[in-house]
Amino acid sequence: MNDNFILQPVKPHLGQVKVLAVDDEKTILLFLETILHSAGYQVICCSDSLKCLELAQQERPDLILLDVMMPDMDGFEVCKRLKELPTISKIPVIFITIKGEAQDKIAGFKSGGVDYITKPFEAEVLLARLQKHMDMYWLRCALEQAIKLQTEKLNNIKQTLYEANNFLIEDKAPGVLSNLEEGSIRLNLTGICLQINATALRLLGYSQDDNLLGNHLNLDPPDLEHGTLDLLGNRISTQEEILLLDTVWHDRNGRDFPVEFRSKPLLNKRGETSVLINFSDISQRKRIESRLHALAYKDSMTGLSNRTLFMMLLQRELAQLHASNQAFALLLLDVDYFKQVNDGYGHMIGDELLIMMAKRLLTTAVPNDKIARLGGDEFSLIINGFKDKEELLTLVAQLAKTLNETYYFESGIHLNVTISIGISICDDRTLSVEDLLGRTDLALYKAKEDRVGHYYLYDTTLSQIQGLELELKQKFPALLANNSLFVEYQPQFSTLTQTYNGAEALIRWNHQGRGKLQAEVFFESAKKKGFIREMSYFVLHKVCEQISQWLKQEVDFKAISVNICAEQIMQEDFAQKILAPIKKHQIPFDKIILEVTENSLVNISPHSLQALEHLHQLGIRFAIDDFGVGFSSIKLLKSFHFDILKIDKLFIAEILHDAKNDQIVKSLISLAANLKLQVVAEGVETQEQLLFLRDHHCDCVQGFYFSPSLSGVKLARYFTSTPQNKTYDNEY
């Protein structure tokens, strides 16, 4: 279909559109194949990055969905190679991946991708993105075909003119110009019109009855010293040929119109010199080019600059910084809980909200071309001309106030949403675009971490985090190998007896310059760099090694909780990878508790849910961590049988300080009791918190009131001996 699509730009029926889906996870491929087939697309599936290159050339798909994390060759490299093949270089490539950070998106767009969809994704969103890019692809092909036809037409005219010029030089056929579709004028060296055809008269606003022969067409006297004429504001050489030039002329009524013209000095047998000017009205071509520019550089929904154009503008700002030393600021904005807007009100309301936000941004003092929609609910701005940091923050505060005002829809709905903003000031000539975006993205994350609807200016604290990201990227395998990353255990205690009741395994980093780092310091950095899955499996392996030693020592360590992440759960072989170290060290299933956050189970696939249920049936227990922080807690308790509910430390910190918070904690404990779940409260630091939790029947607590995280050796002081005849016999 693709050849006809390019040669005859007729918009294809959906059933003709062919999509190549590339992912090494077979469950993801099955999911994509199912929803795309049901939507009417032709689907080709591939799980091998090298095979993908062959299939793309053989099948000539209309669009490619490409996973980033491929085993043999990552998606960025695959995309680069696809773009190097002339026959398929224009096929849109959309990346699908679990990594959605700014630097990964930059790498994707640099390699030639047109969009980025982050796993887990919804079928409705995926199909909407596909339709958008297919519409843009079709329109781009149609416009390019129109330009091609116009160019061929102009080339034919140029050939005719070339032949006509030979006649004109000899004055053999003075009327040959009259039938040409391109305007043609011949002037003498003083600017007097010697010949003009009907097309030129029409384009210049004259009728065929107007006689311009013998009249001056130039606006200014000829510059005889430099050998030039001035025709409608354009210098025409009387001595040298001008091969091709785009400019703007005006007709007799003052109407400006774009032209493409060429000029050539002519010498007849009598030795008289004249100048032949051939020109075309290129208004249609300019309109097509403008539409192509809009497709390439404008966001189709909001009309703002898109990511591609914004990256170019950002590069230009950095270049100007080198020249003028004038600092500028970069802002990244996104809508807090935008997914909940889409889920609760539908994508049409979500899109309308983004359009209204774009309009509000356009009313600010920031030039329109320095405001962009990067994709989804992400916007960006470049701000110049502020006096100092205080003035910049005042501008940002006003911007936030404008964007956070209530949004009213024609349907009668009104929404109160908040915008979080990350800010960085660029006054360092050594920074790259990637550095600057990385800084601002960190500031945005920090703004959201502090509280929604907040803004944060990049500072030295975030600089340290950025340094950790770089160090992880460069040294991660070595950190695992040399035990710079290690495991400690946060003990848990009964609220009634205050005796040891198990522990949670937590990863730590023994940093050369900064000492022992807690997980929260580098967790997001590891997630951004794509290491969180390996890190989680590393912890599980270390825990199994430690449990194996405790079993040999015949001590009662109760059970150890290990955190798992969405990146693990989505793997096709997730269950096998969890069971591998447990089998290797012959760990009883009931000695392992897997902790999952509710966010890691959002949009979980049926295959992944089956894997969790399989592990649960074997005897591994599950805890839902950070309960109550997200939006899907109650729903998750219905979809999967958990054994333990962990109350997030944010709720515990407010005990006895906020009556509403106290009621929430009591309600969570009551809910867990009704569902026969054990309750563990995190972050207990005071006796008052402990007594409150005990009085309201919370089962266990963990936190600094009892103990910080400990090494396996120090944790063992809480253990008691197990009966000598205790044996473990698991059936795997």
Side-chain angles (χ1 to χ4, degrees):
M1 189 206 86
N2 215 37
D3 290 331
N4 293 332
F5 188 44
I6 297 297
L7 295 175
Q8 299 176 0
V10 177
K11 191 171 183 178
H13 297 296
L14 188 60
Q16 297 175 294
V17 177
K18 190 184 297 182
V19 179
L20 173 59
V22 186
D23 198 303
D24 63 325
E25 298 284 349
K26 292 183 179 178
T27 52
I28 298 294
L29 279 182
L30 180 60
F31 173 72
L32 289 172
E33 185 176 25
T34 301
I35 62 173
L36 292 178
H37 266 311
S38 64
Y41 290 94
Q42 297 180 38
V43 188
I44 308 159
C45 292
C46 176
S47 59
D48 182 273
S49 51
L50 296 175
K51 182 68 175 175
C52 155
L53 297 171
E54 296 178 17
L55 279 174
Q57 294 180 83
Q58 292 170 5
E59 298 290 341
R60 302 288 294 279
D62 300 293
L63 191 142
I64 299 173
L65 289 171
L66 178 59
D67 185 31
V68 171
M69 304 295 287
M70 300 286 287
D72 298 322
M73 182 192 307
D74 69 31
F76 301 145
E77 181 61 30
V78 172
C79 187
K80 286 178 185 176
R81 296 196 183 186
L82 287 169
K83 296 302 174 183
E84 290 170 356
L85 300 169
T87 56
I88 57 175
S89 62
K90 294 183 180 180
I91 298 174
V93 176
I94 298 177
F95 287 110
I96 49 174
T97 182
I98 203 157
K99 298 169 65 179
E101 284 68 39
Q103 292 179 340
D104 302 310
K105 292 180 180 178
I106 293 166
F109 288 114
K110 277 190 170 182
S111 67
V114 297
D115 205 348
Y116 217 101
I117 301 177
T118 306
K119 301 174 187 175
F121 43 73
E122 298 177 7
E124 183 182 355
V125 175
L126 175 67
L127 293 173
R129 294 274 188 93
L130 289 185
Q131 186 61 56
K132 171 189 170 184
H133 286 291
M134 282 310 306
D135 288 345
M136 291 175 64
Y137 179 42
W138 165 77
L139 184 54
R140 183 178 288 110
C141 289
L143 291 171
E144 288 176 351
Q145 179 68 5
I147 288 179
K148 180 181 177 183
L149 294 174
Q150 287 292 320
T151 302
E152 291 176 353
K153 185 177 179 181
L154 286 173
N155 287 336
N156 292 334
I157 293 172
K158 290 172 189 175
Q159 180 61 32
T160 305
L161 282 171
Y162 176 77
E163 296 169 0
N165 287 342
N166 294 330
F167 285 101
L168 288 168
I169 292 172
E170 301 299 328
D171 282 343
K172 289 181 178 179
V176 75
L177 295 177
S178 61
N179 295 321
L180 295 176
E181 295 183 32
E182 189 173 52
S184 185
I185 306 170
R186 188 158 66 95
L187 305 173
N188 68 13
L189 298 188
T190 62
I192 292 176
C193 179
L194 303 177
Q195 284 179 303
I196 184 167
N197 71 350
T199 303
L201 285 169
R202 175 175 55 80
L203 294 177
L204 293 174
Y206 295 94
S207 71
Q208 294 190 21
D209 296 331
D210 291 315
N211 185 8
L212 299 184
L213 299 181
N215 293 328
H216 281 273
L217 290 186
N218 56 301
L219 300 180
D220 297 319
D223 186 344
L224 299 177
E225 181 181 349
H226 295 94
T228 61
L229 295 169
D230 191 297
L231 178 65
L232 301 172
N234 294 269
R235 289 290 174 181
I236 308 293
S237 174
T238 61
Q239 301 170 355
E240 297 179 358
E241 181 176 2
I242 298 176
L243 295 177
L244 199 63
L245 186 67
D246 281 8
T247 187
V248 176
W249 284 5
H250 52 267
D251 62 18
R252 69 182 301 184
N253 300 313
R255 179 187 69 90
D256 291 341
F257 63 100
V259 297
E260 178 185 86
F261 81 90
R262 299 173 309 286
S263 69
K264 180 177 182 178
L266 302 177
L267 183 66
N268 62 18
K269 290 181 177 180
R270 297 186 295 275
E272 298 169 338
T273 301
S274 59
V275 179
L276 177 67
I277 299 104
N278 298 319
F279 68 97
S280 301
D281 183 339
I282 55 173
S283 298
Q284 183 181 4
R285 193 186 82 191
K286 288 296 183 182
R287 284 194 294 270
I288 292 172
E289 288 175 353
S290 177
R291 293 179 69 185
L292 281 173
H293 182 275
L295 280 173
Y297 298 117
K298 293 293 182 179
D299 174 56
S300 58
M301 181 190 295
T302 64
L304 299 177
S305 300
N306 65 8
R307 179 182 291 273
T308 302
L309 179 57
F310 192 76
M311 293 303 173
M312 295 166 59
L313 293 172
L314 199 52
Q315 189 66 60
R316 187 180 71 185
E317 290 290 335
L318 286 170
Q320 290 176 351
L321 174 65
H322 283 260
S324 65
N325 204 31
Q326 186 66 44
F328 66 94
L330 173 64
L331 276 61
L332 292 179
L333 305 77
D334 75 7
V335 185
D336 300 315
Y337 305 123
F338 183 68
K339 183 180 184 300
Q340 278 66 46
V341 174
N342 278 336
D343 290 347
Y345 296 93
H347 287 275
M348 288 186 65
I349 291 294
D351 290 348
E352 283 186 55
L353 175 63
L354 296 177
I355 292 169
M356 284 191 271
M357 285 183 176
K359 289 179 179 177
R360 291 189 186 184
L361 286 171
L362 290 172
T363 64
T364 66
V366 179
N368 291 358
D369 65 341
K370 294 186 178 181
I371 305 172
R373 177 177 175 238
L374 302 183
D377 61 322
E378 297 176 283
F379 295 88
S380 55
L381 288 81
I382 295 172
I383 297 180
N384 304 91
F386 53 90
K387 186 169 53 179
D388 51 30
K389 181 174 72 173
E390 286 69 28
E391 183 178 350
L392 172 64
L393 291 178
T394 300
L395 292 171
V396 174
Q398 182 58 47
L399 174 66
K401 182 176 181 295
T402 300
L403 293 174
N404 290 341
E405 291 176 354
T406 304
Y407 291 84
Y408 296 92
F409 298 81
E410 291 183 3
S411 60
I413 295 171
H414 62 274
L415 293 178
N416 292 303
V417 297
T418 55
I419 312 297
S420 293
I421 306 174
I423 317 157
S424 60
I425 296 175
C426 184
D427 54 6
D428 184 351
R429 298 183 181 187
T430 64
L431 288 177
S432 66
V433 168
E434 291 80 3
D435 294 333
L436 186 55
L437 282 168
R439 285 186 171 192
T440 318
D441 194 49
L442 277 174
L444 176 59
Y445 173 77
K446 179 64 175 173
K448 284 186 170 293
E449 186 179 53
D450 287 352
R451 68 178 186 272
V452 296
H454 191 46
Y455 54 85
Y456 195 92
L457 177 64
Y458 180 86
D459 57 17
T460 53
T461 302
L462 295 185
S463 176
Q464 292 177 344
I465 295 175
Q466 196 172 32
L468 290 178
E469 286 188 10
L470 180 62
E471 195 167 351
L472 278 171
K473 182 178 180 180
Q474 295 174 341
K475 301 179 181 179
F476 182 72
L479 295 176
L480 293 179
N482 63 21
N483 293 320
S484 292
L485 294 175
F486 62 98
V487 175
E488 287 191 334
Y489 300 86
Q490 176 95 58
Q492 299 168 347
F493 298 87
S494 166
T495 54
L496 288 176
T497 64
Q498 298 187 25
T499 56
Y500 170 78
N501 199 52
E504 178 184 356
L506 300 168
I507 193 165
R508 300 288 185 251
W509 182 355
N510 185 17
H511 192 275
Q512 287 188 345
R514 298 171 58 184
K516 184 171 74 173
L517 300 180
Q518 305 294 314
E520 54 264 28
V521 175
F522 59 89
F523 180 84
E524 286 300 324
S525 298
K527 191 172 182 179
K528 285 184 178 182
K529 295 304 171 188
F531 298 134
I532 198 66
R533 184 167 62 188
E534 293 176 69
M535 200 175 280
S536 299
Y537 283 127
F538 169 80
V539 171
L540 178 62
H541 280 265
K542 289 296 182 183
V543 167
C544 288
E545 289 175 6
Q546 180 64 76
I547 289 178
S548 177
Q549 294 180 22
W550 288 334
L551 288 172
K552 292 174 183 176
Q553 295 167 7
E554 297 184 330
V555 293
D556 187 8
F557 56 89
K558 304 296 183 185
I560 304 298
S561 299
V562 180
N563 292 280
I564 56 175
C565 60
E567 289 84 345
Q568 291 173 281
I569 296 171
M570 291 183 67
Q571 284 187 294
E572 184 181 1
D573 57 351
F574 161 65
Q576 294 93 312
K577 287 192 172 183
I578 291 293
L579 290 173
I582 298 175
K583 291 179 180 180
K584 177 181 177 182
H585 295 286
Q586 297 183 327
I587 310 298
F589 291 127
D590 63 351
K591 295 299 181 182
I592 296 291
I593 300 170
L594 297 180
E595 292 194 13
V596 294
T597 63
E598 56 187 289
N599 290 334
S600 66
L601 298 179
V602 174
N603 299 324
I604 186 172
S605 70
H607 175 82
S608 297
L609 188 59
Q610 287 174 5
L612 292 174
E613 289 173 345
H614 172 64
L615 294 174
H616 195 267
Q617 289 168 4
L618 289 175
I620 294 175
R621 287 179 288 166
F622 281 83
I624 181 167
D625 196 12
D626 299 339
F627 188 79
V629 175
F631 289 84
S632 307
S633 304
I634 305 300
K635 181 181 177 182
L636 287 172
L637 291 179
K638 290 176 61 179
S639 63
F640 183 72
H641 179 74
F642 288 95
D643 304 281
I644 301 166
L645 183 152
K646 299 191 75 173
I647 302 177
D648 188 77
K649 60 185 178 182
L650 294 175
F651 294 109
I652 305 304
E654 294 298 317
I655 284 177
L656 303 178
H657 298 295
D658 185 329
K660 289 183 178 179
N661 182 83
D662 292 355
Q663 190 59 49
I664 290 172
V665 172
K666 288 188 284 186
S667 298
L668 293 178
I669 295 172
S670 176
L671 173 66
N674 290 332
L675 295 174
K676 296 182 172 52
L677 303 180
Q678 183 183 7
V679 183
V680 178
E682 299 180 298
V684 176
E685 298 184 355
T686 68
Q687 185 178 32
E688 290 75 17
Q689 292 169 348
L690 172 64
L691 294 176
F692 177 92
L693 293 165
R694 184 198 65 187
D695 292 344
H696 293 93
H697 311 295
C698 176
D699 298 302
C700 294
V701 296
Q702 66 182 69
F704 278 21
Y705 178 72
F706 282 103
S707 173
S709 58
L710 304 168
S711 66
V713 173
K714 290 183 178 180
L715 183 71
R717 71 187 183 196
Y718 293 111
F719 300 165
T720 58
S721 298
T722 56
Q724 294 298 313
N725 60 353
K726 176 78 172 179
T727 59
Y728 302 104
D729 184 19
N730 282 341
E731 293 182 6
Y732 292 96

